[in-house]
Structure formats: C-alpha cells, structure tokens
Amino acid sequence: MPERAPLRVLILGGSTEASEITGALAGRADVDVRLSLAGRTAAPIDHAVPTRIGGFGGVDGLADYLRAERIGVLVDATHPFAVQISRHAEVAAQTAGVALIKVGRPAWRSQPGDRWTEVEDMAAAVASLGAAARRVFLTIGRLQLAAFAKAPQHFYLVRTIDHVGGDHGLPNAAFIAARGPFDAAAERRLMQEHRIEALITKNSGGSAAAGKLFAARDLGIPVILVRRASTDDRCGVSEAIAMIDAHCAKAPRGV
Ligand code: NAP
C-alpha cells in the first residue's frame, strides 16, 4: 500500500498552547507542521519547526497562503486577546476549504477572597484606578501601555516580555522584561517589594500567568481584569492533537 503523504498543519501561534501543540507534533513523520508568528516579540522561542514570521496581509492573504502551501489543517492557537487573526482564520479557512481547529483556554474565574473588578477595555481599566495616586502592577503587554499615559499620577510596575522602548509616556514607572511562567510565591514577593496596591491584567486564563492572581488574593490587593472580547468555543491542547490525529488517519494516500 502506498504511504500516506504527511498532513500539512499550519499553527497560528504566540501562545502557550501553540508551543505545546508544536512541540507535540514536531518530528512526527505523518505531520508536516509549520508555525506562524506575528513577530511581536524580538526573540521568540525556537520551536525547531519551519516558522514564518509576520502578517499574511489580511484574510485574502491567509486564504492564499493556505491554498498555495496546500495546508490540510489550520490550527488557530493564538492568544485569547488576539481577536483579529482569529476572525481572519475563520473566514480564510472557510474560503480555502481547509479544516480549522480552534484552541484556547478558559477565562479565569474569581474565587472567594478575590477583589476583582472586570472591565471592557484598557480605557476602562485606566479610569477604574481613580484620581488618587496608586502603585499599580501592569501585566498587559507592551502595545497598550500608551493608555496609561492618561493617568500619570500613578506609579506603574510594568512587566513585559520585551524591553519597553523610551517613548512609553509613563513618568513614574519601573520596568521588568521577563517571560513566564511566574509562580505565586515570587509574584507575592515582587508585589510586596514594590508596595503594589492594584494589579491590572487581561483575563488571559491558563496557569502560566495565574500566580499573580493567587498573590493578589493572598495580599488582599484589588485586581482590575480586562474581559475577553470573544467567547468562542475552543478546545484544549490534547483534544486538538486528537483531532489532528483523526485528520492524519483520513489523509489521502500518496503515490
Ligand atoms: P491581532 O490583533 O488579532 O492580529 C493583528 C494582525 O497581526 C493580524 O491581522 C495578522 O496580520 C497578524 N497576526 C496576528 N497573529 C499572527 C500570527 N500568529 N501569524 C501571523 N500573523 C499574525 O493580534 P495581536 O493581539 O496583535 O497579537 C499578535 C500575536 O501575539 C498573536 O499571534 C497572539 O497569539 C500573540 N499574543 C497576543 C496577546 C494579546 O494580548 N493580544 C498576548 C500574548 C500573545 P495580517 O492581517 O497581515 O495577516
């Protein structure tokens, strides 16, 4: 019997789940896996699979890529706050007739002892800090820092993966460049050391970044959480791998 051609899988990445799926598929003979990153971080993790970096040029660009590269399965494993690329993935997969697997993680839910305020967007997060100066731990990424320039009375401890450039507009701030996971004990020490009075974060979900929430609960620190815009139904990593296995099993045989 002729051998099956490897199933070509494109993973839209930039998340823990994308790294886990890529790691699980790398080296398999029945899958030809490729990773796509937006190019937001200066030194992305090397996944030892062919990786393309940068946008596709919108929905049409992504659909063209799927067709040209004969992608069999598209895995949207982007971060829960990366709404645009997920929308594009949905439409492009349909246009190109490619199977789409949407991977994600549940949002965090408050527990007894939490002092959470959930807000719709970054502007609402800034407003919820109020007028009086506070010491704020910001873990919202680099790209939306500008929103906080509107509230320069606060001290901000800003943690991002890449270093923040000089034009951040925050007159009273300290910066940490670090990549998770972060454990709760270290988060607690960090918040105590900087006398943090409020934490602002996105409701990303997952375990790698949850330590700060445990620490805030423990220290009685209020948390302002930006809600997710999308409530898509998404599967977990092992379910996604099982679906890819099922696609491999029915992939056409080569000649
Ligand atoms: P976005 O607003 O949903 O997407 C903006 C544009 O960036 C897309 O239209 C696409 O450009 C390009 N793009 C995004 N993800 C891509 C990918 N994996 N491969 C190729 N192009 C991609 O995305 P975002 O919120 O800026 O996030 C960018 C990336 O960072 C995502 O891959 C996401 O997984 C990761 N990330 C985001 C956050 C967050 O809070 N937003 C947090 C952690 C990691 P074209 O239209 O030109 O194709």
Side-chain angles (χ1 to χ4, degrees), residues 12 58-64 66-67 74 76 83-98 100 102:
L12 300 175
V59 178
D60 294 342
L62 178 53
D64 288 347
L66 296 175
R67 280 188 286 249
L74 175 63
D76 174 13
V83 176
Q84 182 167 302
I85 186 70
S86 292
R87 252 191 250 123
H88 290 185
E90 188 116 29
V91 180
Q94 204 166 19
T95 310
V98 169
L100 173 66
K102 299 197 278 186

Short mmCIF file of all heavy atoms in Angstrom, two decimals, residues 12 58-64 66-67 74 76 83-98 100 102:
data_model
loop_
_atom_site.label_atom_id
_atom_site.label_comp_id
_atom_site.label_asym_id
_atom_site.label_seq_id
_atom_site.Cartn_x
_atom_site.Cartn_y
_atom_site.Cartn_z
N LEU A 12 -1.24 28.79 13.97
CA LEU A 12 -1.14 30.23 14.25
C LEU A 12 -0.81 30.34 15.73
O LEU A 12 -1.60 29.92 16.58
CB LEU A 12 -2.46 30.93 13.93
CG LEU A 12 -2.94 30.82 12.48
CD1 LEU A 12 -4.32 31.45 12.33
CD2 LEU A 12 -1.94 31.51 11.53
N GLY A 58 -4.00 40.19 5.71
CA GLY A 58 -5.45 40.09 5.82
C GLY A 58 -5.99 38.71 5.46
O GLY A 58 -5.23 37.77 5.22
N VAL A 59 -7.32 38.64 5.42
CA VAL A 59 -8.00 37.35 5.17
C VAL A 59 -7.57 36.76 3.84
O VAL A 59 -7.28 35.55 3.75
CB VAL A 59 -9.53 37.57 5.14
CG1 VAL A 59 -10.25 36.27 4.83
CG2 VAL A 59 -10.03 38.14 6.43
N ASP A 60 -7.54 37.60 2.80
CA ASP A 60 -7.22 37.06 1.47
C ASP A 60 -5.80 36.51 1.44
O ASP A 60 -5.54 35.46 0.83
CB ASP A 60 -7.37 38.16 0.40
CG ASP A 60 -8.82 38.58 0.26
OD1 ASP A 60 -9.70 37.82 0.72
OD2 ASP A 60 -9.08 39.67 -0.28
N GLY A 61 -4.89 37.21 2.10
CA GLY A 61 -3.50 36.76 2.15
C GLY A 61 -3.40 35.41 2.85
O GLY A 61 -2.66 34.52 2.40
N LEU A 62 -4.14 35.26 3.92
CA LEU A 62 -4.11 33.98 4.66
C LEU A 62 -4.74 32.87 3.82
O LEU A 62 -4.19 31.76 3.72
CB LEU A 62 -4.83 34.14 6.01
CG LEU A 62 -4.91 32.88 6.89
CD1 LEU A 62 -3.54 32.24 7.13
CD2 LEU A 62 -5.56 33.22 8.24
N ALA A 63 -5.85 33.17 3.17
CA ALA A 63 -6.50 32.15 2.32
C ALA A 63 -5.56 31.74 1.17
O ALA A 63 -5.43 30.54 0.87
CB ALA A 63 -7.83 32.69 1.76
N ASP A 64 -4.89 32.72 0.59
CA ASP A 64 -3.93 32.42 -0.50
C ASP A 64 -2.81 31.51 0.01
O ASP A 64 -2.40 30.57 -0.65
CB ASP A 64 -3.29 33.71 -1.05
CG ASP A 64 -4.29 34.53 -1.86
OD1 ASP A 64 -5.36 33.98 -2.19
OD2 ASP A 64 -4.00 35.72 -2.13
N LEU A 66 -2.90 29.43 2.55
CA LEU A 66 -3.41 28.08 2.83
C LEU A 66 -3.48 27.25 1.56
O LEU A 66 -3.11 26.07 1.54
CB LEU A 66 -4.81 28.16 3.47
CG LEU A 66 -4.88 28.84 4.85
CD1 LEU A 66 -6.34 28.95 5.31
CD2 LEU A 66 -4.06 28.07 5.88
N ARG A 67 -3.92 27.91 0.47
CA ARG A 67 -4.04 27.19 -0.80
C ARG A 67 -2.67 26.91 -1.38
O ARG A 67 -2.36 25.79 -1.79
CB ARG A 67 -4.87 28.01 -1.80
CG ARG A 67 -6.38 27.88 -1.54
CD ARG A 67 -7.18 28.54 -2.65
NE ARG A 67 -7.11 29.98 -2.55
CZ ARG A 67 -8.13 30.76 -2.21
NH1 ARG A 67 -9.32 30.24 -1.97
NH2 ARG A 67 -7.99 32.06 -2.12
N LEU A 74 -5.69 23.96 9.62
CA LEU A 74 -5.24 25.22 10.22
C LEU A 74 -5.60 25.18 11.70
O LEU A 74 -6.76 24.90 12.06
CB LEU A 74 -5.96 26.40 9.54
CG LEU A 74 -5.69 27.79 10.13
CD1 LEU A 74 -4.21 28.18 9.99
CD2 LEU A 74 -6.57 28.85 9.44
N ASP A 76 -5.84 27.42 14.92
CA ASP A 76 -5.78 28.77 15.50
C ASP A 76 -5.55 28.62 17.00
O ASP A 76 -6.47 28.36 17.76
CB ASP A 76 -7.10 29.52 15.23
CG ASP A 76 -7.12 30.87 15.94
OD1 ASP A 76 -6.04 31.31 16.43
OD2 ASP A 76 -8.20 31.48 16.02
N VAL A 83 -7.90 38.96 18.66
CA VAL A 83 -9.23 38.75 18.10
C VAL A 83 -9.22 38.79 16.57
O VAL A 83 -9.89 38.01 15.90
CB VAL A 83 -10.20 39.83 18.66
CG1 VAL A 83 -11.57 39.72 18.04
CG2 VAL A 83 -10.29 39.69 20.17
N GLN A 84 -8.42 39.70 16.03
CA GLN A 84 -8.46 39.90 14.57
C GLN A 84 -7.97 38.68 13.79
O GLN A 84 -8.62 38.23 12.85
CB GLN A 84 -7.63 41.13 14.20
CG GLN A 84 -7.66 41.43 12.71
CD GLN A 84 -7.12 42.80 12.42
OE1 GLN A 84 -7.62 43.80 12.94
NE2 GLN A 84 -6.07 42.87 11.62
N ILE A 85 -6.83 38.14 14.23
CA ILE A 85 -6.28 36.99 13.48
C ILE A 85 -7.23 35.79 13.58
O ILE A 85 -7.37 35.02 12.63
CB ILE A 85 -4.84 36.63 13.95
CG1 ILE A 85 -4.22 35.55 13.07
CG2 ILE A 85 -4.78 36.23 15.41
CD1 ILE A 85 -3.88 35.96 11.70
N SER A 86 -7.93 35.66 14.71
CA SER A 86 -8.87 34.55 14.85
C SER A 86 -10.04 34.71 13.89
O SER A 86 -10.53 33.74 13.31
CB SER A 86 -9.38 34.44 16.29
OG SER A 86 -8.31 34.04 17.11
N ARG A 87 -10.49 35.95 13.75
CA ARG A 87 -11.57 36.23 12.79
C ARG A 87 -11.10 35.88 11.38
O ARG A 87 -11.78 35.24 10.60
CB ARG A 87 -11.98 37.70 12.85
CG ARG A 87 -13.32 37.89 13.52
CD ARG A 87 -13.81 39.31 13.33
NE ARG A 87 -13.78 40.01 14.59
CZ ARG A 87 -13.11 41.14 14.84
NH1 ARG A 87 -12.42 41.72 13.89
NH2 ARG A 87 -13.15 41.68 16.01
N HIS A 88 -9.88 36.32 11.07
CA HIS A 88 -9.31 36.04 9.74
C HIS A 88 -9.19 34.54 9.50
O HIS A 88 -9.47 34.05 8.40
CB HIS A 88 -7.92 36.69 9.61
CG HIS A 88 -7.98 38.19 9.53
ND1 HIS A 88 -6.87 38.97 9.32
CD2 HIS A 88 -9.01 39.06 9.65
CE1 HIS A 88 -7.21 40.25 9.30
NE2 HIS A 88 -8.50 40.32 9.51
N ALA A 89 -8.75 33.82 10.53
CA ALA A 89 -8.55 32.36 10.39
C ALA A 89 -9.87 31.69 10.04
O ALA A 89 -9.92 30.81 9.17
CB ALA A 89 -7.99 31.79 11.69
N GLU A 90 -10.91 32.12 10.70
CA GLU A 90 -12.24 31.53 10.49
C GLU A 90 -12.67 31.70 9.02
O GLU A 90 -13.06 30.75 8.34
CB GLU A 90 -13.22 32.25 11.41
CG GLU A 90 -14.58 31.66 11.45
CD GLU A 90 -14.92 31.12 12.84
OE1 GLU A 90 -14.40 31.65 13.85
OE2 GLU A 90 -15.68 30.16 12.89
N VAL A 91 -12.56 32.94 8.53
CA VAL A 91 -13.03 33.23 7.16
C VAL A 91 -12.10 32.60 6.13
O VAL A 91 -12.56 31.99 5.15
CB VAL A 91 -13.12 34.77 6.94
CG1 VAL A 91 -13.61 35.08 5.54
CG2 VAL A 91 -14.02 35.41 7.98
N ALA A 92 -10.79 32.71 6.37
CA ALA A 92 -9.83 32.19 5.38
C ALA A 92 -9.94 30.67 5.26
O ALA A 92 -9.86 30.11 4.15
CB ALA A 92 -8.41 32.60 5.76
N ALA A 93 -10.11 29.99 6.40
CA ALA A 93 -10.22 28.52 6.36
C ALA A 93 -11.44 28.12 5.55
O ALA A 93 -11.39 27.20 4.72
CB ALA A 93 -10.30 27.97 7.78
N GLN A 94 -12.52 28.85 5.76
CA GLN A 94 -13.75 28.55 5.02
C GLN A 94 -13.57 28.80 3.52
O GLN A 94 -13.91 27.97 2.69
CB GLN A 94 -14.87 29.43 5.56
CG GLN A 94 -16.23 28.85 5.32
CD GLN A 94 -17.27 29.57 6.16
OE1 GLN A 94 -17.04 30.68 6.63
NE2 GLN A 94 -18.42 28.96 6.32
N THR A 95 -12.95 29.95 3.21
CA THR A 95 -12.73 30.31 1.81
C THR A 95 -11.85 29.28 1.10
O THR A 95 -12.10 28.92 -0.05
CB THR A 95 -12.01 31.69 1.72
OG1 THR A 95 -12.71 32.60 2.53
CG2 THR A 95 -11.93 32.21 0.31
N ALA A 96 -10.80 28.84 1.80
CA ALA A 96 -9.84 27.93 1.17
C ALA A 96 -10.26 26.47 1.31
O ALA A 96 -9.57 25.59 0.80
CB ALA A 96 -8.45 28.16 1.79
N GLY A 97 -11.34 26.21 2.04
CA GLY A 97 -11.80 24.83 2.22
C GLY A 97 -10.85 24.01 3.07
O GLY A 97 -10.61 22.83 2.81
N VAL A 98 -10.29 24.66 4.11
CA VAL A 98 -9.33 23.98 4.99
C VAL A 98 -9.97 23.78 6.36
O VAL A 98 -10.66 24.67 6.86
CB VAL A 98 -8.05 24.86 5.11
CG1 VAL A 98 -7.13 24.37 6.20
CG2 VAL A 98 -7.32 24.90 3.78
N LEU A 100 -10.45 23.80 10.23
CA LEU A 100 -9.96 24.73 11.26
C LEU A 100 -10.17 24.12 12.64
O LEU A 100 -11.26 23.66 12.96
CB LEU A 100 -10.72 26.06 11.16
CG LEU A 100 -10.44 27.09 12.26
CD1 LEU A 100 -9.00 27.60 12.20
CD2 LEU A 100 -11.41 28.27 12.16
N LYS A 102 -9.85 25.30 16.60
CA LYS A 102 -9.66 26.49 17.44
C LYS A 102 -9.28 26.04 18.85
O LYS A 102 -10.04 25.31 19.49
CB LYS A 102 -10.95 27.31 17.47
CG LYS A 102 -11.36 27.79 16.08
CD LYS A 102 -12.36 28.92 16.15
CE LYS A 102 -13.76 28.41 16.36
NZ LYS A 102 -14.76 29.49 16.29
#
